[in-house]
Amino acid sequence: MIPPAGERKSGTGGPVSVRPLGEADLDRADEIFRVAFGTFFGAPEPKTFFGTADYVRTRWAADPQAAFAATVEGEVVASNFAVNWGSVGYFGPLTVRPDLWDQGVGRRLMEPVMDCFDTWENRHLGLFTFSHSPKHLELYRRYGFWPRFLTAIMKKQVVAGSAAVPGRVLYSQLPAAEQPDALSLCRALTGAVYEGLSLEREIVATHAQGLGDTILLQGAGSELDGLAVCHCGAGSEAGEDVCFVKFGAVRPGPEAADRFERLLGACEQLAAERGLAQLDAGVNLGRPDAYRRMVDRGFRTWLQGVTMHRPNEPCYSHPDAYVIDDWR
């Protein structure tokens, strides 16, 4: 028998409660996030894992209503975040204090996240987890998620002095009056990649928090050829001396591969302009040509995981898609 919500016992003997994650909780949630990942990977100093990269505060600020905490005797012991990309929703990082692992705390934090997805009416749900961890795969399978292709989180050293990419515009450089039109063009592009897919929240959050910038590649007429939401440097999800492409995509069609090459060049140009030495980007191996083109440009995998999907369908991870993303 499962005790009612708010009365389920943890291994400490106290009840586990779930509530919204508040601003006053962020330091503790960030510490647990680092210690949990650092412990999982066997880091000698778990509290410093991820360095100057920040996942907790940035995701909370992007949507405080989609951030949740689990508490024991009033103390935060775990957190989880839901992300709304229009027709697509994903969650994470879900992190639990290591001494409470395998005691059902993670399951408690799945409940409010799944409620978010129901409210948002996302059509396709996903997550990134560790392909070598049966317990993670089993936890998420209980909620209808199924493992599909691996996702490679890749990096390359930035080459300074590369040729400027034609047609590149930065969202931050647009007058405020033009930004709504730019967001509409972005929705049209991502909607062509997957119906209803929208990165508007990521673009606005990146701009509002000063985390980096969004690259817009102008095409013929009024269309966009591509876009890339990039985090830059310490305090963002990139970390010190890194430009991280959180999401990138090009308009589908016969010349999509060429547009993707331009987009990769534009991302490296932004990193060089910011004085950042490393460019990070994730790609699902269900997009084999996109992956091959990144390898040919010098990207190498430094972290590998599996994306799990609900329903068990490819979403936008198929051979004709030229998309960079990272559901960590």
Side-chain angles (χ1 to χ4, degrees):
M1 179 177 178
I2 301 175
E7 296 180 7
R8 301 179 193 175
K9 300 295 183 178
S10 71
T12 65
V16 178
S17 298
V18 173
R19 60 167 173 79
L21 185 72
E23 188 170 8
D25 302 321
L26 295 180
D27 286 348
R28 181 60 178 150
D30 180 75
E31 180 182 346
I32 292 169
F33 159 74
R34 295 176 190 278
V35 169
F37 275 103
T39 301
F40 184 82
F41 284 109
E45 296 290 341
K47 285 188 177 182
T48 64
F49 202 70
F50 282 111
T52 59
D54 192 330
Y55 282 72
V56 168
R57 295 175 185 85
T58 56
R59 296 201 180 179
W60 181 87
D63 190 353
Q65 303 304 312
F68 305 97
T71 66
V72 173
E73 297 179 349
E75 180 183 355
V76 173
V77 298
S79 63
N80 197 7
F81 302 83
V83 179
N84 186 3
W85 285 358
S87 58
V88 176
Y90 74 94
F91 68 88
L94 167 54
T95 51
V96 178
R97 205 174 70 192
D99 64 299
L100 295 178
W101 285 356
D102 304 320
Q103 296 178 32
V105 179
R107 289 198 299 273
R108 294 297 313 282
L109 279 173
M110 287 298 298
E111 296 163 6
V113 161
M114 299 306 292
D115 288 343
C116 277
F117 296 146
D118 288 341
T119 299
W120 296 337
E121 298 182 338
N122 311 104
R123 191 167 77 252
H124 192 96
L125 307 178
L127 65 112
F128 175 100
T129 193
F130 304 108
S131 54
H132 65 289
S133 174
K135 74 173 184 179
H136 286 90
L137 299 181
E138 176 59 20
L139 169 62
Y140 302 129
R141 187 196 61 78
R142 295 180 184 183
Y143 294 88
F145 293 92
W146 289 87
R148 294 186 64 88
F149 285 99
L150 297 175
T151 288
I153 311 301
M154 310 179 80
K155 64 181 179 181
K156 78 177 298 288
Q157 295 305 114
V158 173
V159 178
S162 300
V165 175
R168 189 200 74 156
V169 176
L170 298 180
Y171 181 81
S172 66
Q173 295 175 345
L174 296 174
E178 296 180 14
Q179 290 176 351
D181 289 340
L183 292 173
S184 295
L185 291 174
C186 291
R187 284 195 300 273
L189 188 153
T190 53
V193 171
Y194 185 76
E195 185 178 0
L197 176 65
S198 173
L199 271 291
E200 180 173 347
R201 289 176 178 83
E202 293 290 349
I203 295 169
V204 171
T206 298
H207 181 63
Q209 295 181 54
L211 302 177
D213 216 327
T214 297
I215 295 167
L216 308 174
L217 285 187
Q218 295 177 322
S222 61
E223 288 187 311
L224 283 183
D225 275 353
L227 68 89
V229 184
C230 300
H231 285 209
C232 298
S236 73
E237 294 181 21
E240 187 172 0
D241 214 20
V242 176
C243 176
F244 165 51
V245 186
K246 185 161 186 177
F247 181 90
V250 299
R251 182 162 47 83
E255 298 178 3
D258 292 338
R259 291 192 280 270
F260 189 64
E261 293 283 0
R262 280 179 62 209
L263 187 66
L264 292 173
C267 292
E268 188 158 7
Q269 181 183 343
L270 176 64
E273 289 171 351
R274 295 291 182 97
L276 303 171
Q278 182 174 305
L279 180 62
D280 282 17
V283 64
N284 188 276
L285 300 191
R287 312 168 205 143
D289 194 52
Y291 170 73
R292 282 193 292 265
R293 289 175 183 274
M294 291 176 69
V295 170
D296 289 346
R297 277 184 168 260
F299 283 91
R300 296 295 180 266
T301 301
W302 64 270
L303 176 66
Q304 191 164 267
V306 64
T307 51
M308 299 184 69
H309 296 243
R310 174 181 166 179
N312 185 15
E313 297 173 357
C315 192
Y316 51 77
S317 289
H318 53 80
D320 294 331
Y322 289 85
V323 176
I324 297 166
D325 72 345
D326 185 344
W327 287 351
R328 282 183 293 168

